[in-house]
Amino acid sequence: EAQVTQNPRYLITVTGKKLTVTCSQNMNHEYMSWYRQDPGLGLRQIYYSMNVEVTDKGDVPEGYKVSRKEKRNFPLILESPSPNQTSLYFCASSPQLSGGYSDTQYFGPGTRLTVL
Amino acid sequence: ILNVEQSPQSLHVQEGDSTNFTCSFPSSNFYALHWYRWETAKSPEALFVMTLNGDEKKKGRISATLNTKEGYSYLYIKGSQPEDSATYLCASSYFGNEKLTFGTGTRLTIIP
C-alpha cells in the first residue's frame, strides 16, 4: 500500500531533550516536506527536500533540523525542544516537481508533540 | 510569506443543502491551487489541483472553480451529507517556488 508513515504518533517530552520524528514514504517520491499545524493557523511548512541531500527552509524552520540521506526517509530533528514547538506535525511527499508546484501531496498520519 | 485566506472559518449546513466557500490567494506568479479535505484525526487528502484560469474540477458532489486573474477559488458541495463534515484546506503555489502555502481552512459541519 502506498503510504507515508510517521513515528511516533504521540510524544510528550520535556524542554531540551533532543528528539527525532521519523518519516518514510514508499512511493519513490522526490519531494518531501514537514509541516506544523497550530490552532487558528494554516499548515506551515518547516523544511522541504527536493531530492536526496537537497533540503531547504520553509516558512518556520527555527528550532528544527532535517536530513535526506535516502530518498524514502526525511526525519525531523528537534535538538532542544521548547514548549512553543508543541504542535501537530505532518510529513508529506509528492512526485517530482516541475517548474512551479502542482503535484498532489500525500500526507502522513501526523505526530502530536507536547513539550513540557 | 504569502497570504492565503479562506472564508468562512466555519460553517454549519443542514444535511441535503448545498454550500460553498472561498479561497483567496495572491495572483502574481501564480502556478497552482490545491484543495485538500481533512477529517478529524486523519491526514489531509487531496481533492483537486487546478492551474488554468477558468478551470473547473468535479469529484462526485464536490466541485471547484478557479479564477487566477483575481486570485480566488470556490469549492462547492451539492446535497451535503454527514460524511462531508471536515476541514477544507486550500493551498497555492507560485512559479520558481517549491512550496505550498496553505490557508487556515474552512471547518464544515453537516447537521443531520
Side-chain angles (χ1 to χ4, degrees), chain B residues 26-77:
Chain B
S27 56
S28 178
N29 272 344
F30 171 83
Y31 189 83
L33 191 284
H34 300 235
W35 280 101
Y36 287 84
R37 181 171 177 275
W38 185 15
E39 288 182 73
T40 303
K42 294 188 177 180
S43 316
E45 290 184 343
L47 285 172
F48 306 114
V49 180
M50 296 179 288
T51 57
L52 299 176
N53 186 44
D55 253 356
E56 287 190 37
K57 297 267 177 140
K58 188 175 180 182
K59 185 184 285 190
R61 294 178 293 98
I62 304 177
S63 60
T65 61
L66 178 66
N67 182 320
T68 62
K69 295 187 187 312
E70 295 180 47
Y72 64 84
S73 174
Y74 293 134
L75 189 79
Y76 300 90
I77 301 178

Side-chain angles (χ1 to χ4, degrees), chain A residues 31 45 59 101 104-105 108, chain B residues 31 36 43 46 93 98-100:
Chain A
Y31 185 98
Q45 192 172 43
D59 294 322
Y101 190 72
T104 296
Q105 286 196 103
Chain B
Y31 189 83
Y36 287 84
S43 316
S93 66
E98 298 83 27
K99 300 192 292 188
L100 274 184

Side-chain angles (χ1 to χ4, degrees), chain A residues 9 31 35 37 40-45 48 50 56-59 88 90 97-110, chain B residues 1 9 31-34 36 38 41-46 48-49 51 89 92-105:
Chain A
R9 296 287 312 279
Y31 185 98
Y35 296 90
Q37 166 71 36
L41 301 173
L43 283 166
R44 293 182 294 166
Q45 192 172 43
Y48 63 94
M50 293 171 66
D56 211 341
K57 295 177 182 178
D59 294 322
L88 177 60
F90 284 104
L97 259 64
S98 52
Y101 190 72
S102 61
D103 293 317
T104 296
Q105 286 196 103
Y106 296 84
F107 285 84
Chain B
I1 296 179
Q9 280 191 326
Y31 189 83
L33 191 284
H34 300 235
Y36 287 84
W38 185 15
K42 294 188 177 180
S43 316
E45 290 184 343
F48 306 114
V49 180
T51 57
L89 299 169
S92 58
S93 66
Y94 296 86
F95 278 100
N97 187 330
E98 298 83 27
K99 300 192 292 188
L100 274 184
T101 301
F102 281 84
T104 54

